[in-house]
Amino acid sequence: MKRPSDELKEIIVERCLSGESITALANEYSISRGSIYNWLKKYKTQKKLRVNTGELRKLLCAKDHRLFDPCIASKACQSPI
């Protein structure tokens, strides 16, 4: 099999997270279990980072609203961190 597309990786990761067997998926798509484990690890790391960034943004915005002019704070909250 050629290198799996990002879309296929996402499908496989979603199926793993829904409870399907990693071994069964590896056999179905003719890929190593190690590859799937790596994709799962990468997915979980990225998801964790996204959640933490969102929580950080909320905290910073809440702090900005208390300390600064609301107009300035709202512009800061709209910009990406």
Side-chain angles (χ1 to χ4, degrees):
M1 178 179 193
K2 290 196 266 185
R3 182 179 183 158
S5 67
D6 289 340
E7 185 178 322
L8 179 60
K9 290 177 186 180
E10 289 177 27
I11 291 169
I12 293 170
V13 166
E14 287 174 9
R15 288 178 64 184
C16 287
L17 295 174
S18 72
E20 289 190 53
S21 163
I22 291 175
T23 302
L25 290 168
N27 291 336
E28 180 180 338
Y29 290 99
S30 301
I31 33 181
S32 71
R33 289 179 22 225
S35 292
I36 297 175
Y37 281 110
N38 287 334
W39 302 337
L40 283 166
K41 183 178 178 181
K42 186 176 180 181
Y43 171 83
K44 289 176 183 179
T45 302
Q46 288 175 347
K47 184 172 178 145
K48 186 175 183 179
L49 289 174
R50 276 188 251 132
V51 169
N52 289 341
T53 302
E55 290 172 0
L56 178 61
R57 180 177 286 128
K58 286 179 187 176
L59 291 172
L60 291 174
C61 290
K63 188 174 183 179
D64 284 344
H65 285 294
R66 280 186 268 130
L67 298 176
F68 302 110
D69 180 2
C71 294
I72 296 170
S74 66
K75 289 178 185 173
C77 293
Q78 293 171 357
S79 65
I81 293 178

